[in-house]
């Protein structure tokens, strides 16, 4: 009887120890996203530098802040540049009302549960009520709606990874040059009327920005003014562009023998005019966003 009681007691103690061990497990894979921000005072929910890719610089020289008071009330499509390719915004709508701006960012996937307008460290220390959750789109992707303090400035935006259960630092730039010219309270461009251009043919320096940076256009470009309307001849560095779009209107090439050549209207000078061009050089045609800057100081009569 004594031998049987000893082994029975030993089995009971072993079972009790196993149950206690399971109940106090701190395996991070078992910790929910909402609780992981308070694991320890070291804030382990913040991704360390060696867990993140090298951030890309999304601010460009010459960028100056554009505020909601600089824009007319309305909703506009806006380009968003991200310091991380893992935080990819495929579409974004900027809504301006009474000088305040909010942006609805449609993401390329479903990898993030929350965003926080600030650094990852600040997000880990913040109250969960300040986290911004997503709305699921019909195609299953996520859309986050966030406040925007200003365009053309780097904005801190922490993103909480569903898989890693950690906050990651991101920098976003909402690009003012992707808005239409009439979105601004004060027109940012120089018009034909401002320059008092008479009907005729001119040359003007033009600068292309956007895409991978490999494409270019010939400069100076031929400029034709007729009845108060300006048209520019855009000659691309390749023959792989089969159409261009300006303000949603498609323009087909007038020549594609050696270079893709287009004749497009100019809405103004001295600002980055948003355009898009469809390239066939990839495995499938791909529409790419660019800007064209026509420098009025370089206009010469032919």
């Amino acid at each position: 009887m004594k031998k049987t009681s000893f082994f029975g007691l030993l089995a009971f103690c072993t079972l009790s120890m196993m149950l206690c061990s399971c109940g106090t497990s701190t395996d991070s894979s078992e910790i929910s996203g909402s609780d992981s921000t308070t694991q320890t005072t070291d804030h382990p929910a913040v991704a360390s530098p060696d867990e993140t890719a090298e951030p890309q610089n999304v601010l460009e020289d010459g960028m100056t802040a554009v505020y909601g008071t600089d824009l007319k009330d309305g909703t506009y499509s806006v380009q968003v540049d991200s310091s991380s390719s893992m935080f990819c915004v495929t579409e974004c709508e900027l809504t301006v009302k009474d000088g305040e701006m909010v942006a609805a960012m449609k993401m390329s996937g479903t990898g993030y549960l929350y965003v926080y307008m600030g650094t990852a460290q600040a997000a880990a220390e913040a109250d969960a009520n300040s986290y911004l959750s997503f709305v699921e789109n019909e195609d299953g992707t996520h859309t986050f709606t966030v406040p925007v303090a200003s365009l053309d400035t780097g904005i801190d935006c922490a993103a909480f990874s569903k898989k890693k259960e950690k906050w990651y630092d991101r920098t976003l730039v909402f690009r003012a040059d992707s808005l239409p010219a009439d979105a601004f309270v004060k027109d940012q461009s120089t018009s034909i009327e401002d320059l008092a251009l008479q009907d005729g043919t001119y040359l003007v320096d033009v600068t292309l920005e956007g895409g991978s940076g490999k494409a270019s256009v010939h400069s100076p470009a031929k400029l034709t003014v007729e009845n108060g309307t300006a048209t520019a001849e855009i000659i691309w560095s390749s023959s792989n562009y089969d159409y261009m779009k300006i303000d949603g209107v498609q323009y087909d090439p007038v020549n594609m023998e050696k270079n893709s050549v287009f004749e497009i209207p100019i809405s103004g000078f001295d600002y980055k005019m948003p355009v898009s061009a469809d390239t066939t050089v990839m495995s499938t045609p791909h529409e790419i966003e660019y800007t064209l800057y026509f420098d009025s100081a370089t206009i010469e009569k032919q």
Side-chain angles (χ1 to χ4, degrees):
M1 289 293 292
K2 289 183 180 180
K3 186 174 182 179
T4 302
S5 298
F6 172 79
F7 283 106
L9 179 60
L10 179 61
F12 174 80
C13 291
T14 301
L15 178 61
S16 298
M17 290 172 67
M18 290 176 62
L19 291 173
C20 289
S21 176
C22 293
T24 58
S25 173
T26 56
D27 184 349
S28 60
S29 65
E30 300 296 322
I31 300 175
S32 68
S34 59
D35 291 335
S36 62
T37 57
T38 57
Q39 292 177 43
T40 72
T41 55
D42 294 329
H43 304 290
V46 177
S48 62
D50 59 358
E51 294 178 287
T52 60
E54 184 70 22
Q56 304 170 21
N57 182 20
V58 287
L59 277 174
E60 296 179 4
D61 293 340
M63 278 186 165
T64 57
V66 175
Y67 299 96
T69 51
D70 298 321
L71 302 172
K72 300 174 184 176
D73 285 1
T75 300
Y76 310 98
S77 176
V78 64
Q79 179 182 332
V80 186
D81 291 346
S82 169
S83 62
S84 172
S85 60
M86 302 301 291
F87 191 90
C88 181
V89 181
T90 59
E91 297 175 25
C92 186
E93 280 196 343
L94 180 75
T95 299
V96 184
K97 185 173 177 59
D98 298 330
E100 301 293 327
M101 297 185 291
V102 294
M105 304 185 299
K106 182 178 180 180
M107 311 303 297
S108 61
T110 61
Y112 297 102
L113 294 180
Y114 312 104
V115 296
Y116 175 85
M117 303 315 289
T119 65
Q121 189 66 46
E125 298 172 358
D127 188 286
N129 291 329
S130 61
Y131 300 163
L132 301 175
S133 189
F134 64 87
V135 172
E136 186 171 333
N137 305 310
E138 291 183 0
D139 60 1
T141 57
H142 293 173
T143 290
F144 292 97
T145 299
V146 301
V148 178
S150 60
L151 311 181
D152 283 2
T153 53
I155 298 176
D156 289 329
C157 177
F160 188 81
S161 169
K162 175 171 62 176
K163 181 178 180 180
K164 300 294 185 179
E165 294 188 336
K166 294 182 180 181
W167 287 101
Y168 288 79
D169 279 312
R170 308 296 187 221
T171 300
L172 305 179
V173 174
F174 296 84
R175 298 187 63 107
D177 61 13
S178 65
L179 300 181
D182 59 5
F184 296 85
V185 173
K186 181 180 179 181
D187 196 349
Q188 304 294 295
S189 64
T190 304
S191 68
I192 297 175
E193 292 77 12
D194 294 332
L195 300 171
L197 290 179
Q198 302 298 314
D199 285 3
T201 304
Y202 303 82
L203 292 176
V204 59
D205 285 355
V206 57
T207 304
L208 176 77
E209 291 185 1
S212 65
K214 296 180 181 179
S216 62
V217 296
H218 290 197
S219 181
K222 180 181 175 181
L223 177 69
T224 302
V225 178
E226 184 176 0
N227 298 326
T229 301
T231 302
E233 181 185 66
I234 300 300
I235 304 176
W236 289 84
S237 55
S238 77
S239 59
N240 296 315
Y241 294 93
D242 59 353
Y243 69 78
M244 291 182 66
K245 281 185 179 179
I246 296 93
D247 291 333
V249 179
Q250 180 172 314
Y251 296 86
D252 295 325
V254 296
N255 193 331
M256 290 186 68
E257 292 181 2
K258 293 183 178 180
N259 305 83
S260 296
V261 181
F262 295 83
E263 293 178 352
I264 62 171
I266 296 178
S267 55
F269 302 86
D270 304 326
Y271 89 110
K272 295 180 180 180
M273 186 177 92
V275 302
S276 60
D278 189 71
T279 179
T280 58
V281 72
M282 303 178 186
S283 56
T284 57
H286 190 67
E287 200 171 286
I288 303 174
E289 302 295 325
Y290 296 99
T291 63
L292 292 171
Y293 185 94
F294 297 92
D295 187 353
S296 67
T298 67
I299 296 176
E300 292 184 4
K301 186 79 166 67
Q302 273 195 311

